């Protein structure tokens, strides 16, 4: 059949099983929007800013294991979306971004609302395409989805000139799977390397399991849990891996890194065999690589991306492959080998004695108050009231770290935050994407008074589509993490970190048609959260918690320091 390019785009989205597209119209994509108007295979969500469209599509993917889709127009529509694209790229989130472009004949002539989309986005996408012929459009769309979700996932952009959306050609339905000779990611791990790693782990006296976002992205939580039970070792989840192994399990030692627990960091540094599963030894996890390398240990690294292996830390046994596939084979071989070569239970018992002695530091204990709301207390109450089952999105800053430390995630894909890029403003649009993918779930946004204002216009989107997240604003009237660093590293010179012109959030939220609450007493914290999740279950509720301005996130590893050089509180300054 003959179809124009816009209709082909819509057909391809339906082929891929897309349920929701987040976008904002403009001149270059009006033919596509006209085609969307005439179909009922998926729902379009009109955001109020293109950045929010990409963030919402990003969270839709993170919370559902589907490919998120965003649609923006040319020029400023695309440049507004770049922050969201870079955010997804840093965290390896499978997405397809469709951008309009000026007509083909005008490309390179500085036409109205033209920009070099391919050039601008090249550093922050897994791949991008500029469609030059309508006959290539359907295959390009299919390749975009295939590339986004296979191998190490990531955002893929398809730039479509306006004349391509109106041009017609014969449309051919897909036949079989997409095949690309130049792109063939490894899925299965090398069996010899897996066997070598199994023997290394069996010989360990102080084994440690370090898991990251790759476990979540490959849906390998069950396999990770089996590995931990087989080995009997302590397990730590990175910020992106929280929930992959349940926080309620005794073998979980908390998050590692700059604001990780004392026991996780000490165990990472003092183990004799470390198995890294879908994690990349980034700077916020291991601190100074030279310090990390001071203690001799053997390292096994499982990752889908060969470029991530030995990038920052030299490893002894690299295993390239999809985490889920590799762990399935690894666990089976380990269980068989353990019959003939049992692990050293005596040494493992002594190792756990050491780990538990580190736990005795109780590094996350804080001093509560009857007069000032402590931010940690708010997160703990949220966890209690939601029974640890909510989807929690966060913005970036102190509140993000408190959420990671005090909301104890037992399931993967429940913790939605910007890890690699650290993007302020993601919390509310993330909640929109999560609710579209999980309409019957409890959804909480943990944010700060600065972050929430970066995309607060999306309260309008929430009103239009009856989205009902519960927003917990930990309002300390500062750019909190900036203030903390200025206190510790810059002699308490609080340069431009004080927010002294805040809106009345209650009135602002109510002007959008939602429920607003201001809470300034610790005794009112629990009643407010309970009321939000019960009485106002079907409304968006914004809770403005006026918190202690002086509270800092502990533990903390300062820049350039090693994992064991933690500050556990202000007394260590």
């Amino acid at each position: 059949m003959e179809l124009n390019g816009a209709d082909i785009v819509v057909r391809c989205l339906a082929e891929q099983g897309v349920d929701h597209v987040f976008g904002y119209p403009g001149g270059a994509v009006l033919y596509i929007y006209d085609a969307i108007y005439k179909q009922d295979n998926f729902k379009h969500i009109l955001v109020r800013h293109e950045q929010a469209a990409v963030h919402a599509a990003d969270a839709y993917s993170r919370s559902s294991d589907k490919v998120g889709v965003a649609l923006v127009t040319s020029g400023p529509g695309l440049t507004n979306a770049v922050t969201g694209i870079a955010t997804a790229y840093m965290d390896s989130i499978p997405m397809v971004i469709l951008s309009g472009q000026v007509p083909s004949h005008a490309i390179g002539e500085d036409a109205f609302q033209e920009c070099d989309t391919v050039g601008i986005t090249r550093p922050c996408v897994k791949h991008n395409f500029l469609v030059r012929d309508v006959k290539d459009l359907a295959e390009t769309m299919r390749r975009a989805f295939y590339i986004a979700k296979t191998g190490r996932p990531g955002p893929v952009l398809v730039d479509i000139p306006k004349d391509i959306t109106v041009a017609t050609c014969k449309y051919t339905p897909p036949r079989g799977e997409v095949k690309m000779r130049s792109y063939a990611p490894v899925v299965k791990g090398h069996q010899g390397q897996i066997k070598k790693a199994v023997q290394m782990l069996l010989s360990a006296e102080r084994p440690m399991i370090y898991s990251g976002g790759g476990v979540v992205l490959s849906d390998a939580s069950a396999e990770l849990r089996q590995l931990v039970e087989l080995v009997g070792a302590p397990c730590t989840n990175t910020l992106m891996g929280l929930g992959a192994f349940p926080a309620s399990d005794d073998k979980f030692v908390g998050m590692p890194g700059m604001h990780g627990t004392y026991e996780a960091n000490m165990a990472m540094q003092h183990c004799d065999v470390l198995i890294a599963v879908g994690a990349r030894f980034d700077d916020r996890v291991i601190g100074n690589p030279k310090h990390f390398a001071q203690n001799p240990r053997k390292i096994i690294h499982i990752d889908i991306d060969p470029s991530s292996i030995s990038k920052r830390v030299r490893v002894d046994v690299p295993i390239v492959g999809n985490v889920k596939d590799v762990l399935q084979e690894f666990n089976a071989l380990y269980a068989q080998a353990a019959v003939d070569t049992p692990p050293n239970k005596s040494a493992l018992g002594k190792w756990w004695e050491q780990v538990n002695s580190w736990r005795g530091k109780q590094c996350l204990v804080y001093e509560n108050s009857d007069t000032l709301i402590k931010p940690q207390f708010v997160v703990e109450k949220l966890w209690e009231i939601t029974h640890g089952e909510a989807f929690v999105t966060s913005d970036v800053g102190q509140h993000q770290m408190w959420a990671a430390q005090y909301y104890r995630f037992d399931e993967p894909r429940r913790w939605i935050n910007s890890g690699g890029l650290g993007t302020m403003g993601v919390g509310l649009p993330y909640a929109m994407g999560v609710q579209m993918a999980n309409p019957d779930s409890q959804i909480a946004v943990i944010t700060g008074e600065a972050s929430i204002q970066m995309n607060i216009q999306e309260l309008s989107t929430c009103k239009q589509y009856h989205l009902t997240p519960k927003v917990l604003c930990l309002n300390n009237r500062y750019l909190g993490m900036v203030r903390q660093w200025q206190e510790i590293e810059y002699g308490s010179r609080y340069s431009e970190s004080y927010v002294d012109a805040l809106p009345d959030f209650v009135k602002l939220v109510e002007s959008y048609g939602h429920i607003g609450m201001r809470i300034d007493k610790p005794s009112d914290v629990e009643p407010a959260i309970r009321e939000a999740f019960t009485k106002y279950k079907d409304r968006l509720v914004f809770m403005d918690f006026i918190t202690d301005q002086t509270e800092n996130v502990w533990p903390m590893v300062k820049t350039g320091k090693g994992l064991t050089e933690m500050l556990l509180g202000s007394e260590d300054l």
Side-chain angles (χ1 to χ4, degrees), residues 371-375 398-399 402 447-453 473-484 486 494 496-505 518-521 544-551:
T371 56
L372 292 172
I373 296 176
K374 296 291 184 174
Q398 286 181 315
H399 58 271
W402 285 316
T447 186
E449 76 289 341
S451 284
I452 191 63
Q453 293 190 83
C473 180
L474 305 182
N475 185 348
N476 61 9
R477 290 82 75 207
Y478 271 105
L479 304 181
M481 193 59 85
V482 173
R483 184 203 58 76
Q484 176 169 339
Q486 288 174 336
Y494 302 125
E496 303 301 327
S497 56
Y498 178 64
V499 183
D500 60 355
L502 291 174
D504 183 329
F505 284 113
R518 178 183 169 96
I519 303 98
D520 54 17
K521 296 178 181 177
D544 186 17
F545 292 99
I546 309 305
T547 61
D548 185 351
Q549 287 188 286
T550 65
E551 196 68 25

Side-chain angles (χ1 to χ4, degrees), residues 26 30 86 164 211 454 478 484 509:
L30 286 183
I164 299 298
S211 76
M454 290 197 169
Y478 271 105
Q484 176 169 339
V509 169

Side-chain angles (χ1 to χ4, degrees), residues 290-304:
K290 290 183 179 179
H291 180 277
F292 188 73
Q294 287 176 0
N295 290 43
R297 67 174 81 72
K298 299 293 184 182
I299 299 177
I300 302 160
H301 193 175
I302 302 170
D303 204 288
I304 187 72

Side-chain angles (χ1 to χ4, degrees), residues 314-442:
R314 187 188 66 81
V315 305
D316 299 279
V317 182
I319 303 173
V320 178
N322 182 46
V323 166
K324 189 179 186 73
D325 293 273
V326 172
L327 283 186
Q328 285 174 349
E329 188 170 359
F330 190 101
N331 290 344
L333 289 174
Y334 187 94
Q336 292 173 3
V339 174
D340 298 325
T341 312
N344 189 333
K345 290 186 177 180
S346 175
L348 185 61
K350 291 179 181 178
W351 174 229
W352 270 111
E353 287 178 11
Q354 176 63 75
V355 171
N356 287 328
S357 73
W358 291 325
R359 268 181 172 157
K361 285 276 190 180
Q362 297 184 309
C363 65
L364 295 183
V365 170
Y366 63 95
E367 186 176 343
N368 211 347
S369 170
D370 292 330
T371 56
L372 292 172
I373 296 176
K374 296 291 184 174
Q376 304 95 316
F377 178 70
V378 177
V379 177
E380 285 182 331
K381 285 302 174 185
L382 175 67
W383 176 74
E384 289 177 16
I385 290 166
T386 59
H387 307 290
E389 296 173 354
F391 285 87
V392 178
T393 76
S394 87
D395 276 296
V396 171
Q398 286 181 315
H399 58 271
Q400 177 191 25
M401 294 299 104
W402 285 316
Q405 291 174 332
Y406 293 95
Y407 197 99
R408 298 175 62 78
F409 294 92
D410 278 350
E411 298 295 332
R413 299 191 182 275
R414 297 297 177 96
W415 168 234
I416 314 295
N417 82 119
S418 169
L421 197 64
T423 305
M424 292 174 70
V426 297
L428 185 56
Y430 270 0
M432 290 162 26
V434 171
Q435 188 162 355
M436 285 297 176
N438 307 272
D440 299 322
S441 299
Q442 293 180 319

Side-chain angles (χ1 to χ4, degrees), residues 548-570:
D548 185 351
Q549 287 188 286
T550 65
E551 196 68 25
N552 286 332
V553 180
W554 307 112
M556 176 182 176
V557 177
K558 293 172 67 174
T559 304
K561 297 295 183 179
L563 277 184
T564 60
E565 299 175 295
M566 288 166 280
L567 304 176
L568 299 184
S570 56

Side-chain angles (χ1 to χ4, degrees), residues 31-161:
Y31 284 108
I32 297 176
Y33 272 90
D34 192 51
I36 289 173
Y37 182 86
K38 295 180 288 186
Q39 61 82 47
D40 58 6
N41 289 303
F42 58 84
K43 184 175 183 179
H44 179 276
I45 307 302
L46 175 66
V47 298
R48 303 306 188 259
H49 192 288
E50 290 89 353
Q51 180 179 338
V54 184
H55 288 328
D58 174 350
Y60 185 92
S61 177
R62 291 181 196 241
S63 64
S64 69
D65 194 27
K66 297 178 181 178
V67 177
V69 180
L71 170 60
V72 300
T73 194
S74 63
L78 179 279
T79 55
N80 281 347
V82 168
T83 297
I85 296 170
T87 300
Y89 177 72
M90 288 289 281
D91 290 343
S92 304
I93 307 302
M95 289 174 52
V96 170
I97 303 93
L98 307 177
S99 60
Q101 183 55 275
V102 299
S104 301
H105 66 82
I107 293 176
E109 297 185 0
D110 295 331
F112 177 67
Q113 290 195 330
E114 179 190 1
C115 70
D116 179 6
T117 297
V118 169
I120 288 171
T121 61
R122 184 175 288 118
C124 61
V125 293
K126 185 176 178 183
H127 194 65
N128 58 21
F129 298 92
L130 171 61
V131 181
R132 291 285 193 174
D133 189 328
V134 69
K135 297 184 182 70
D136 299 329
L137 182 55
E139 183 62 21
T140 300
M141 290 283 290
R142 291 162 192 156
R143 288 186 175 191
F145 277 87
Y146 176 70
I147 293 169
K149 64 188 176 184
T150 55
R152 179 177 181 173
V156 176
L157 182 136
V158 182
D159 197 31
I160 309 172

